Each structure stands twice: as C-alpha cells, then as structure tokens.
Amino acid sequence: MNNASSSSGNVADNGSDHSAPQHQGQPKQKGYTKKKNLGVALVGLGSYSEKQLAPALKETKHCDLVGVVSGDSEKLKKWSRQYNLKEKNLYGYDNFDNIKSNDDIDIVYIVLPNSMHAEFVIRGAEAGKHVICEKPMANNIEDCERMIEVCREAGVKLSMGYRLHFDPFNLEMMRLGQNNLMGRCKRIVAKNGMDVVDKNQWRLSKVLAGGGPLMDVGIYCVQGVLYTLGELPTSVHAKFHPKKDKEKFATVEEGLEWEMEFPGGVKAFCETSYSKAFNILRAETERGWFELNPAYEYNGLKGDTSDGPMKIQSINQQAAQMDDFARCIITNEPTRLPGEMGLRDMHILLSIYESAITGRKIPLELGAFKHLIET
Ligand code: NAD
C-alpha cells in the first residue's frame, strides 16, 4: 500500500513515500537534470481544466502551469492574461507539435473529449513531452496500446489522471481493504451517477465519449472496487438500465448495473447513471463495514466505518496527483498510474458493455496487469 501523499514536501525527502513497484514496460527516460519546477501545459480548456486543474496548479510544489493548448484563440488570450502565460507558450491544435522546441514545457496534460486523447497523447509524446491523460484513457483497446507504445518509444512517461489514488479517504479504503483491517471483505457496493442536464454535450455522443456514464463516472466504481480489494476481477455480468429518455440517450446508455467476481469469492455490485445521482463506495466485511459517501468527489468526501467515522483531512487531489507525477519525472521513478492501468480499465469497461449487450457473463483474463494492484 502506498501512503497518502500530499502536495507538500521535498522531492528528495519523500521519494520512498510515493515509490511504486517497477512496472513492466516503464519507459527508459532520458536523463533529467532540471532543478526548477516542471512546466505543465493543459491541452483542452474546458470545465475540468478551468475549475480544477488550473487552480490546483497554484498549489503544486514541483510543477507550474506555464502553457495552454486550445482551438479557441480568444480562450488562449484570456488564459494568458489570467495566468500570466508567455505568448510563446500558447498553442492551437494545429501548431501543437511545435511544442517540441519549447523548453518551458515538460508535461502536457490531455483534458479533451475521450476520443481525442489518443491523438494528443501521441503528438505530445512525439514532441518529447511527458504526458498525463485524463480518464477514460481512450475509446478502445487499440488506441490505449498505441499510446503506451509511442510513449515508451519516445522515452517519456505516461500517467493517467486518476486523482483518487492520492485522496486520503480513498487511500484509507485501500489500507483497510487490502490489509483486511476490518476483517476480510465479503461484498462491495460501488455506485457513481449524476443527472446530466445538457443534452448537447459531447458526453452524450458515442463517437466522442466512447460510451455513456460507464466511461465517464462508472470507471471510478471499477477503480474503487479494485483498489479496495487489491484484486483483479475474474468476470463481469452487466445489464443496461431501460432508457427513459430515448432521444437524449440515442447513442449512449442512460445507466447500467454490473457485478464483478473476484478470485477470493468476493462480489462487487456496481451501478452508474446519467439520470440518477449516487456516489458511494462501501465494503462489507466479516466483522463490519467501511464506506465513503460521497466517495468520488473532488472534496467533501465522508468516510464512516462500523467502528466509527474516519477522521481524515482532505487535500487537493489534483495538486497531489500532478506533484507526484512531476516527482516521478525528476527522480525517474515509475508513476503509480501508468498507461497500462488505463488499458487495464479499458478491458474491464469494454467487457461490461459486451456483457450488457449479449446478456452473458464475460470472463476476464487480466493476469498481465497483476503488477498494477497496490499492495
Ligand atoms: P468539457 O466539455 O468541459 O471540455 C472539453 C474541452 O475540449 C473544451 O474546451 C472544448 O472546447 C474542447 N474540445 C475540443 N474539441 C472538441 C469537440 N470536438 N467536442 C467537444 N469539445 C471539444 O469537458 P471536461 O469536463 O473538461 O472533460 C475533459 C476530459 O477530462 C474528459 O476526458 C473527462 O473524462 C475528463 N475529466 C476528468 C475528471 C476527473 O475527475 N479526473 C473530471 C472531469 C473531466
């Protein structure tokens, strides 16, 4: 189990706190000698960049916001004024590849609609930049594999934007679950859903989003169950919710329920929705229970157990996540959230869809990803 990380602290001092096992296929990084903070460019200036990542980059200790990439030149100017960014660090999608000759920028963070992740991760890596990719990694396995391969060949690190691996409440779920501190887990419940109001957004387009709530927020349930148990599922069995609004959900599911089975016999019961709000991760054990509700938010998380409430201080998840990646680059250690984890999750998500479509239980063979389970 990795300890809770924070955005504070000195890289040289806290290396062991964050150290992750060596992952297969970790790129051989070119020597990194910089002493200053690493420069981050946000690629895609929508809601997550504006409301979460840019503010978080004011709290980071090992990296700073130095550049932005957008298709909208007015937005670029606005961001440049707001964050005091140099004009040479503003890029459109067309001239993004010129970032190669820009020494201010070390990391590109891809925060675009899901179908665009692969193209921009690959272009960023080919420009010699380390890359963070938002979830879900892509819309299909082939893109995930290509992204990993190109980053490896380019000698750059690739990390997923899985912020909850740095959230102290979710880290407590890992600690309690993986070490059987409340007794062995018998059953897990994970639900993440929200009411999506805007009918015109890309999240409702299968082409841009790859799917509906499962790709967007259900992925947190998959992640939550895996890191609470510290095991990989052996099968999934899913069914779609009936569509109440057929026009709004013309190309993606409105909601979905699925079960995951684990080698030790534990079953996880999961649900996601774009028309129902819930946000829970709960483990029932031999002698009690522990849960987060809400579990996957940016802040305001609440943890409780059958022994009493979790007494935990929140941190800025995104600042901790970006700082840890910067630290991994500076010290040339593997990130605990490599592209392979995004690929693993894509296998699970697509099997959940396959099960919901066919009505069959789908066996999973995830042995290649065993090294990614935190212990
Ligand atoms: P958003 O709709 O607010 O922003 C998307 C950005 O992409 C906009 O700036 C838009 O102009 C740009 N864009 C470029 N081409 C586009 C196209 N063809 N269609 C639509 N937009 C286009 O979305 P967001 O909420 O910022 O999500 C962006 C990514 O970040 C997604 O992959 C999402 O899953 C991820 N995300 C992650 C978290 C998290 O907690 N880790 C939270 C929110 C979003």
Side-chain angles (χ1 to χ4, degrees):
M1 244 291 307
N2 289 301
N3 296 327
S5 56
S6 84
S7 59
S8 63
N10 163 317
V11 170
D13 291 347
N14 69 359
S16 59
D17 279 358
H18 302 265
S19 63
Q22 283 289 335
H23 299 310
Q24 281 167 9
Q26 190 65 25
K28 252 204 171 128
Q29 184 180 278
K30 297 164 201 151
Y32 214 94
T33 52
K34 281 193 179 179
K35 293 282 182 278
K36 69 171 181 64
N37 276 5
L38 302 191
V40 177
L42 294 175
V43 183
L45 303 180
S47 161
Y48 194 53
S49 284
E50 186 186 341
K51 298 190 185 128
Q52 306 302 328
L53 297 177
L57 280 160
K58 290 185 172 167
E59 295 187 30
T60 42
K61 299 284 188 284
H62 308 311
C63 53
D64 301 309
L65 178 63
V66 297
V68 281
V69 182
S70 168
D72 180 340
S73 57
E74 287 308 310
K75 236 187 216 180
L76 288 172
K77 283 186 208 149
K78 185 180 148 248
W79 275 68
S80 167
R81 284 193 299 273
Q82 187 173 350
Y83 290 98
N84 198 21
L85 306 174
K86 295 179 198 162
E87 196 168 341
K88 77 175 183 77
N89 294 353
L90 313 178
Y91 291 88
Y93 299 137
D94 295 346
N95 69 352
F96 172 59
D97 311 277
N98 297 345
I99 212 163
K100 185 174 188 162
S101 57
N102 190 329
D103 284 344
D104 289 353
I105 296 167
D106 304 286
I107 299 169
V108 292
Y109 194 151
I110 313 304
V111 204
L112 288 162
N114 309 342
S115 63
M116 299 171 75
H117 292 177
E119 176 191 340
F120 281 85
V121 165
I122 288 170
R123 288 170 69 184
E126 286 177 341
K129 305 302 175 187
H130 300 284
V131 190
I132 309 176
C133 177
E134 257 316 318
K135 42 60 50 179
M137 188 168 182
N139 288 359
N140 57 64
I141 301 287
E142 295 71 27
D143 277 355
C144 297
E145 289 178 341
R146 216 156 40 90
M147 292 152 87
I148 292 168
E149 187 54 29
V150 171
C151 289
R152 188 182 294 136
E153 278 171 11
V156 299
K157 288 193 194 293
L158 169 61
S159 174
M160 294 301 302
Y162 288 144
R163 60 187 162 79
L164 292 177
H165 286 254
F166 301 92
D167 166 67
F169 289 88
N170 280 272
L171 285 165
E172 181 64 358
M173 294 296 284
M174 296 177 206
R175 192 181 75 86
L176 294 175
Q178 292 186 23
N179 299 304
N180 296 322
L181 296 180
M182 304 277 301
R184 288 178 66 80
C185 283
K186 292 195 311 196
R187 183 177 186 270
I188 305 223
V189 176
K191 296 180 180 216
N192 196 7
M194 59 187 181
D195 198 4
V196 168
V197 181
D198 176 5
K199 287 191 176 195
N200 299 315
Q201 65 166 300
W202 64 266
R203 282 182 166 79
L204 298 177
S205 152
K206 173 129 199 263
V207 173
L208 289 167
L214 179 64
M215 294 294 256
D216 190 23
V217 292
I219 188 171
Y220 288 105
C221 301
V222 169
Q223 278 258 319
V225 171
L226 266 62
Y227 59 62
T228 300
L229 279 177
E231 288 184 7
L232 293 167
T234 51
S235 70
V236 292
H237 200 179
K239 69 168 191 246
F240 291 120
H241 289 166
K243 287 188 191 184
K244 285 192 224 101
D245 189 336
K246 293 205 170 62
E247 193 192 330
K248 185 170 170 186
F249 299 106
T251 66
V252 301
E253 78 278 6
E254 181 171 338
L256 198 132
E257 282 170 42
W258 72 100
E259 273 180 39
M260 293 192 279
E261 284 180 341
F262 290 83
V266 179
K267 276 192 181 178
F269 298 89
C270 306
E271 187 173 359
T272 188
S273 172
Y274 268 166
S275 55
K276 283 197 266 181
F278 32 57
N279 202 301
I280 184 163
L281 178 59
R282 176 183 170 90
E284 289 163 15
T285 69
E286 285 164 340
R287 67 165 187 85
W289 52 268
F290 55 100
E291 70 172 24
L292 302 181
N293 187 2
Y296 316 104
E297 302 285 353
Y298 308 134
N299 42 50
L301 273 62
K302 202 166 156 285
D304 211 349
T305 78
S306 46
D307 291 346
M310 294 180 191
K311 294 192 182 104
I312 291 175
Q313 288 277 315
S314 312
I315 61 162
N316 185 313
Q317 302 163 354
Q318 291 86 356
Q321 171 215 317
M322 290 187 279
D323 257 346
D324 188 69
F325 188 54
R327 185 194 58 75
C328 288
I329 294 167
I330 294 166
T331 58
N332 195 14
E333 283 170 54
T335 161
R336 76 175 77 156
L337 307 174
E340 285 81 355
M341 189 180 273
L343 171 63
R344 175 199 75 185
D345 295 345
M346 191 58 50
H347 277 288
I348 299 173
L349 297 180
L350 296 183
S351 298
I352 292 170
Y353 280 130
E354 186 187 342
S355 173
I357 291 164
T358 61
R360 285 188 292 115
K361 186 196 274 194
I362 305 295
L364 290 168
E365 179 37 73
L366 298 172
F369 302 101
K370 236 184 166 63
H371 60 292
L372 296 177
I373 280 294
E374 307 204 26
T375 49

Short mmCIF file of all heavy atoms in Angstrom, two decimals, residues 261-300:
data_model
loop_
_atom_site.label_atom_id
_atom_site.label_comp_id
_atom_site.label_asym_id
_atom_site.label_seq_id
_atom_site.Cartn_x
_atom_site.Cartn_y
_atom_site.Cartn_z
N GLU A 261 -16.85 -10.41 -10.21
CA GLU A 261 -16.44 -11.51 -9.31
C GLU A 261 -14.93 -11.49 -9.15
O GLU A 261 -14.21 -11.20 -10.12
CB GLU A 261 -16.88 -12.86 -9.88
CG GLU A 261 -18.36 -13.10 -9.72
CD GLU A 261 -18.79 -14.44 -10.30
OE1 GLU A 261 -18.06 -15.02 -11.14
OE2 GLU A 261 -19.89 -14.88 -9.92
N PHE A 262 -14.48 -11.85 -7.94
CA PHE A 262 -13.04 -11.82 -7.64
C PHE A 262 -12.57 -13.21 -7.22
O PHE A 262 -13.39 -14.02 -6.75
CB PHE A 262 -12.77 -10.76 -6.56
CG PHE A 262 -12.96 -9.38 -7.10
CD1 PHE A 262 -14.22 -8.80 -7.18
CD2 PHE A 262 -11.87 -8.68 -7.60
CE1 PHE A 262 -14.40 -7.54 -7.74
CE2 PHE A 262 -12.04 -7.42 -8.15
CZ PHE A 262 -13.31 -6.85 -8.22
N PRO A 263 -11.25 -13.47 -7.35
CA PRO A 263 -10.75 -14.83 -7.11
C PRO A 263 -11.07 -15.34 -5.70
O PRO A 263 -11.38 -16.51 -5.53
CB PRO A 263 -9.23 -14.70 -7.28
CG PRO A 263 -8.99 -13.40 -7.93
CD PRO A 263 -10.20 -12.55 -7.77
N GLY A 264 -11.06 -14.44 -4.69
CA GLY A 264 -11.32 -14.89 -3.33
C GLY A 264 -12.80 -15.12 -3.06
O GLY A 264 -13.19 -15.39 -1.92
N GLY A 265 -13.66 -14.94 -4.05
CA GLY A 265 -15.10 -15.17 -3.89
C GLY A 265 -15.90 -13.91 -3.62
O GLY A 265 -17.13 -13.95 -3.53
N VAL A 266 -15.23 -12.78 -3.45
CA VAL A 266 -15.96 -11.53 -3.20
C VAL A 266 -16.70 -11.12 -4.46
O VAL A 266 -16.21 -11.32 -5.58
CB VAL A 266 -14.97 -10.40 -2.80
CG1 VAL A 266 -15.71 -9.09 -2.57
CG2 VAL A 266 -14.18 -10.79 -1.57
N LYS A 267 -17.90 -10.55 -4.27
CA LYS A 267 -18.64 -9.99 -5.40
C LYS A 267 -18.79 -8.50 -5.19
O LYS A 267 -19.03 -8.05 -4.06
CB LYS A 267 -20.02 -10.61 -5.49
CG LYS A 267 -20.04 -11.93 -6.22
CD LYS A 267 -21.46 -12.34 -6.53
CE LYS A 267 -21.50 -13.69 -7.23
NZ LYS A 267 -22.86 -14.13 -7.49
N ALA A 268 -18.68 -7.74 -6.28
CA ALA A 268 -18.91 -6.30 -6.21
C ALA A 268 -20.16 -5.98 -7.01
O ALA A 268 -20.34 -6.50 -8.12
CB ALA A 268 -17.72 -5.55 -6.78
N PHE A 269 -21.02 -5.14 -6.43
CA PHE A 269 -22.27 -4.74 -7.08
C PHE A 269 -22.15 -3.26 -7.42
O PHE A 269 -22.00 -2.42 -6.52
CB PHE A 269 -23.46 -5.00 -6.14
CG PHE A 269 -23.58 -6.47 -5.81
CD1 PHE A 269 -22.89 -6.99 -4.71
CD2 PHE A 269 -24.32 -7.31 -6.61
CE1 PHE A 269 -22.96 -8.35 -4.43
CE2 PHE A 269 -24.39 -8.67 -6.33
CZ PHE A 269 -23.72 -9.20 -5.23
N CYS A 270 -22.20 -2.95 -8.71
CA CYS A 270 -21.88 -1.59 -9.16
C CYS A 270 -23.02 -1.03 -10.01
O CYS A 270 -23.76 -1.78 -10.64
CB CYS A 270 -20.60 -1.60 -9.99
SG CYS A 270 -19.21 -2.37 -9.17
N GLU A 271 -23.09 0.30 -10.00
CA GLU A 271 -24.14 0.95 -10.79
C GLU A 271 -23.65 2.33 -11.21
O GLU A 271 -22.94 3.01 -10.45
CB GLU A 271 -25.41 1.08 -9.94
CG GLU A 271 -26.60 1.59 -10.71
CD GLU A 271 -27.90 1.56 -9.90
OE1 GLU A 271 -27.88 1.12 -8.72
OE2 GLU A 271 -28.92 2.00 -10.46
N THR A 272 -24.03 2.73 -12.43
CA THR A 272 -23.70 4.08 -12.89
C THR A 272 -24.89 4.63 -13.67
O THR A 272 -25.70 3.85 -14.20
CB THR A 272 -22.41 4.07 -13.75
OG1 THR A 272 -22.02 5.41 -14.01
CG2 THR A 272 -22.61 3.34 -15.06
N SER A 273 -25.01 5.95 -13.71
CA SER A 273 -26.18 6.53 -14.36
C SER A 273 -25.93 7.98 -14.75
O SER A 273 -25.15 8.68 -14.10
CB SER A 273 -27.37 6.47 -13.39
OG SER A 273 -28.47 7.18 -13.90
N TYR A 274 -26.60 8.41 -15.84
CA TYR A 274 -26.64 9.84 -16.18
C TYR A 274 -28.00 10.44 -15.84
O TYR A 274 -28.31 11.55 -16.25
CB TYR A 274 -26.36 10.03 -17.68
CG TYR A 274 -24.91 10.25 -18.05
CD1 TYR A 274 -24.50 10.15 -19.38
CD2 TYR A 274 -23.95 10.60 -17.10
CE1 TYR A 274 -23.18 10.38 -19.76
CE2 TYR A 274 -22.63 10.83 -17.47
CZ TYR A 274 -22.25 10.71 -18.80
OH TYR A 274 -20.94 10.94 -19.17
N SER A 275 -28.83 9.70 -15.10
CA SER A 275 -30.10 10.31 -14.70
C SER A 275 -30.41 10.12 -13.22
O SER A 275 -31.40 10.63 -12.72
CB SER A 275 -31.26 9.76 -15.56
OG SER A 275 -31.28 8.37 -15.51
N LYS A 276 -29.53 9.39 -12.51
CA LYS A 276 -29.70 9.21 -11.05
C LYS A 276 -28.41 9.62 -10.38
O LYS A 276 -27.32 9.28 -10.85
CB LYS A 276 -29.95 7.74 -10.71
CG LYS A 276 -31.33 7.23 -11.00
CD LYS A 276 -31.59 5.91 -10.26
CE LYS A 276 -31.28 4.72 -11.14
NZ LYS A 276 -31.53 3.42 -10.51
N ALA A 277 -28.53 10.31 -9.25
CA ALA A 277 -27.32 10.74 -8.53
C ALA A 277 -27.04 9.80 -7.36
O ALA A 277 -27.93 9.56 -6.53
CB ALA A 277 -27.49 12.17 -8.04
N PHE A 278 -25.87 9.23 -7.34
CA PHE A 278 -25.36 8.49 -6.17
C PHE A 278 -23.85 8.50 -6.25
O PHE A 278 -23.27 8.75 -7.31
CB PHE A 278 -25.91 7.07 -6.05
CG PHE A 278 -26.23 6.37 -7.35
CD1 PHE A 278 -25.26 6.21 -8.32
CD2 PHE A 278 -27.51 5.85 -7.59
CE1 PHE A 278 -25.56 5.53 -9.50
CE2 PHE A 278 -27.80 5.19 -8.78
CZ PHE A 278 -26.81 5.04 -9.74
N ASN A 279 -23.19 8.24 -5.11
CA ASN A 279 -21.74 8.44 -5.05
C ASN A 279 -21.22 7.67 -3.83
O ASN A 279 -20.97 8.25 -2.78
CB ASN A 279 -21.49 9.95 -4.88
CG ASN A 279 -20.10 10.34 -5.33
OD1 ASN A 279 -19.12 9.83 -4.81
ND2 ASN A 279 -20.01 11.23 -6.30
N ILE A 280 -21.08 6.37 -3.97
CA ILE A 280 -20.76 5.55 -2.79
C ILE A 280 -19.76 4.43 -3.12
O ILE A 280 -19.80 3.87 -4.21
CB ILE A 280 -22.06 4.96 -2.16
CG1 ILE A 280 -21.75 4.19 -0.88
CG2 ILE A 280 -22.80 4.07 -3.13
CD1 ILE A 280 -22.95 3.94 -0.01
N LEU A 281 -18.90 4.16 -2.15
CA LEU A 281 -18.01 3.00 -2.20
C LEU A 281 -18.07 2.37 -0.82
O LEU A 281 -17.69 3.01 0.18
CB LEU A 281 -16.58 3.46 -2.53
CG LEU A 281 -15.50 2.37 -2.58
CD1 LEU A 281 -15.82 1.30 -3.62
CD2 LEU A 281 -14.12 3.00 -2.90
N ARG A 282 -18.60 1.14 -0.75
CA ARG A 282 -18.84 0.51 0.57
C ARG A 282 -18.35 -0.93 0.56
O ARG A 282 -18.62 -1.67 -0.39
CB ARG A 282 -20.36 0.53 0.86
CG ARG A 282 -20.74 -0.18 2.14
CD ARG A 282 -22.26 -0.18 2.31
NE ARG A 282 -22.69 -1.03 3.40
CZ ARG A 282 -22.84 -0.63 4.66
NH1 ARG A 282 -22.62 0.62 5.00
NH2 ARG A 282 -23.23 -1.47 5.60
N ALA A 283 -17.63 -1.28 1.61
CA ALA A 283 -17.15 -2.66 1.74
C ALA A 283 -17.80 -3.28 2.96
O ALA A 283 -17.79 -2.69 4.05
CB ALA A 283 -15.64 -2.69 1.89
N GLU A 284 -18.40 -4.45 2.79
CA GLU A 284 -18.96 -5.20 3.93
C GLU A 284 -18.01 -6.34 4.22
O GLU A 284 -17.58 -7.05 3.30
CB GLU A 284 -20.36 -5.68 3.58
CG GLU A 284 -21.31 -4.50 3.56
CD GLU A 284 -22.63 -4.76 2.84
OE1 GLU A 284 -22.94 -5.94 2.60
OE2 GLU A 284 -23.31 -3.78 2.54
N THR A 285 -17.66 -6.50 5.49
CA THR A 285 -16.59 -7.43 5.86
C THR A 285 -17.09 -8.46 6.87
O THR A 285 -18.23 -8.41 7.31
CB THR A 285 -15.40 -6.67 6.48
OG1 THR A 285 -15.82 -6.17 7.76
CG2 THR A 285 -14.95 -5.50 5.61
N GLU A 286 -16.19 -9.36 7.25
CA GLU A 286 -16.54 -10.40 8.23
C GLU A 286 -17.05 -9.80 9.53
O GLU A 286 -17.87 -10.39 10.21
CB GLU A 286 -15.30 -11.25 8.53
CG GLU A 286 -14.95 -12.20 7.42
CD GLU A 286 -13.52 -12.74 7.56
OE1 GLU A 286 -12.71 -12.11 8.25
OE2 GLU A 286 -13.24 -13.77 6.96
N ARG A 287 -16.52 -8.62 9.90
CA ARG A 287 -16.94 -8.11 11.21
C ARG A 287 -17.50 -6.69 11.19
O ARG A 287 -17.60 -6.04 12.22
CB ARG A 287 -15.78 -8.21 12.21
CG ARG A 287 -14.60 -7.31 11.95
CD ARG A 287 -13.72 -7.23 13.19
NE ARG A 287 -12.67 -6.24 13.04
CZ ARG A 287 -12.83 -4.95 13.29
NH1 ARG A 287 -13.98 -4.48 13.68
NH2 ARG A 287 -11.81 -4.14 13.12
N GLY A 288 -17.88 -6.19 10.02
CA GLY A 288 -18.45 -4.86 9.98
C GLY A 288 -18.48 -4.30 8.57
O GLY A 288 -18.68 -5.03 7.60
N TRP A 289 -18.23 -3.01 8.48
CA TRP A 289 -18.26 -2.37 7.16
C TRP A 289 -17.44 -1.09 7.21
O TRP A 289 -17.18 -0.54 8.29
CB TRP A 289 -19.69 -2.06 6.73
CG TRP A 289 -20.48 -1.29 7.76
CD1 TRP A 289 -21.26 -1.82 8.74
CD2 TRP A 289 -20.51 0.14 7.95
NE1 TRP A 289 -21.78 -0.83 9.53
CE2 TRP A 289 -21.36 0.38 9.06
CE3 TRP A 289 -19.94 1.22 7.29
CZ2 TRP A 289 -21.62 1.68 9.52
CZ3 TRP A 289 -20.20 2.51 7.74
CH2 TRP A 289 -21.04 2.72 8.86
N PHE A 290 -17.03 -0.61 6.04
CA PHE A 290 -16.43 0.72 5.92
C PHE A 290 -16.84 1.30 4.58
O PHE A 290 -17.01 0.57 3.61
CB PHE A 290 -14.91 0.69 6.11
CG PHE A 290 -14.15 -0.25 5.23
CD1 PHE A 290 -13.48 0.21 4.09
CD2 PHE A 290 -14.06 -1.61 5.53
CE1 PHE A 290 -12.75 -0.65 3.28
CE2 PHE A 290 -13.34 -2.49 4.71
CZ PHE A 290 -12.69 -2.01 3.60
N GLU A 291 -17.03 2.63 4.56
CA GLU A 291 -17.56 3.21 3.32
C GLU A 291 -17.20 4.68 3.18
O GLU A 291 -16.89 5.36 4.17
CB GLU A 291 -19.08 3.07 3.27
CG GLU A 291 -19.81 3.95 4.27
CD GLU A 291 -21.33 3.96 4.07
OE1 GLU A 291 -21.87 3.01 3.50
OE2 GLU A 291 -21.96 4.94 4.50
N LEU A 292 -17.26 5.13 1.94
CA LEU A 292 -17.19 6.56 1.63
C LEU A 292 -18.51 6.94 0.97
O LEU A 292 -18.98 6.27 0.06
CB LEU A 292 -16.04 6.88 0.66
CG LEU A 292 -14.64 6.49 1.09
CD1 LEU A 292 -13.62 6.91 0.02
CD2 LEU A 292 -14.27 7.12 2.43
N ASN A 293 -19.07 8.05 1.42
CA ASN A 293 -20.31 8.55 0.83
C ASN A 293 -20.43 10.04 1.17
O ASN A 293 -20.77 10.37 2.28
CB ASN A 293 -21.52 7.78 1.37
CG ASN A 293 -22.80 8.15 0.65
OD1 ASN A 293 -22.78 8.96 -0.28
ND2 ASN A 293 -23.91 7.57 1.08
N PRO A 294 -20.08 10.94 0.21
CA PRO A 294 -19.66 10.67 -1.15
C PRO A 294 -18.22 10.13 -1.21
O PRO A 294 -17.42 10.40 -0.33
CB PRO A 294 -19.75 12.02 -1.85
CG PRO A 294 -19.63 13.03 -0.77
CD PRO A 294 -20.19 12.40 0.47
N ALA A 295 -17.95 9.41 -2.31
CA ALA A 295 -16.67 8.71 -2.43
C ALA A 295 -15.75 9.28 -3.51
O ALA A 295 -14.53 9.13 -3.41
CB ALA A 295 -16.93 7.24 -2.75
N TYR A 296 -16.34 9.87 -4.57
CA TYR A 296 -15.51 10.16 -5.76
C TYR A 296 -15.44 11.65 -6.09
O TYR A 296 -14.96 12.02 -7.15
CB TYR A 296 -16.08 9.41 -6.98
CG TYR A 296 -16.48 7.97 -6.70
CD1 TYR A 296 -17.82 7.61 -6.55
CD2 TYR A 296 -15.51 6.99 -6.57
CE1 TYR A 296 -18.19 6.29 -6.29
CE2 TYR A 296 -15.87 5.67 -6.31
CZ TYR A 296 -17.20 5.33 -6.17
OH TYR A 296 -17.56 4.03 -5.91
N GLU A 297 -15.95 12.49 -5.20
CA GLU A 297 -15.98 13.93 -5.48
C GLU A 297 -14.58 14.53 -5.32
O GLU A 297 -13.67 13.88 -4.81
CB GLU A 297 -16.94 14.63 -4.50
CG GLU A 297 -18.36 14.13 -4.53
CD GLU A 297 -19.13 14.60 -5.75
OE1 GLU A 297 -18.60 15.42 -6.51
OE2 GLU A 297 -20.25 14.11 -5.95
N TYR A 298 -14.44 15.81 -5.71
CA TYR A 298 -13.15 16.49 -5.56
C TYR A 298 -12.91 16.85 -4.09
O TYR A 298 -11.79 16.91 -3.63
CB TYR A 298 -13.10 17.78 -6.38
CG TYR A 298 -13.48 17.61 -7.83
CD1 TYR A 298 -14.36 18.48 -8.45
CD2 TYR A 298 -12.93 16.57 -8.58
CE1 TYR A 298 -14.69 18.33 -9.78
CE2 TYR A 298 -13.27 16.40 -9.91
CZ TYR A 298 -14.15 17.30 -10.51
OH TYR A 298 -14.47 17.13 -11.82
N ASN A 299 -13.99 17.16 -3.39
CA ASN A 299 -13.87 17.46 -1.95
C ASN A 299 -15.20 17.14 -1.27
O ASN A 299 -16.15 16.73 -1.93
CB ASN A 299 -13.44 18.92 -1.71
CG ASN A 299 -14.17 19.85 -2.64
OD1 ASN A 299 -15.39 19.78 -2.72
ND2 ASN A 299 -13.45 20.70 -3.35
N GLY A 300 -15.21 17.30 0.04
CA GLY A 300 -16.45 16.98 0.78
C GLY A 300 -16.66 15.49 0.98
O GLY A 300 -17.77 15.06 1.32
#
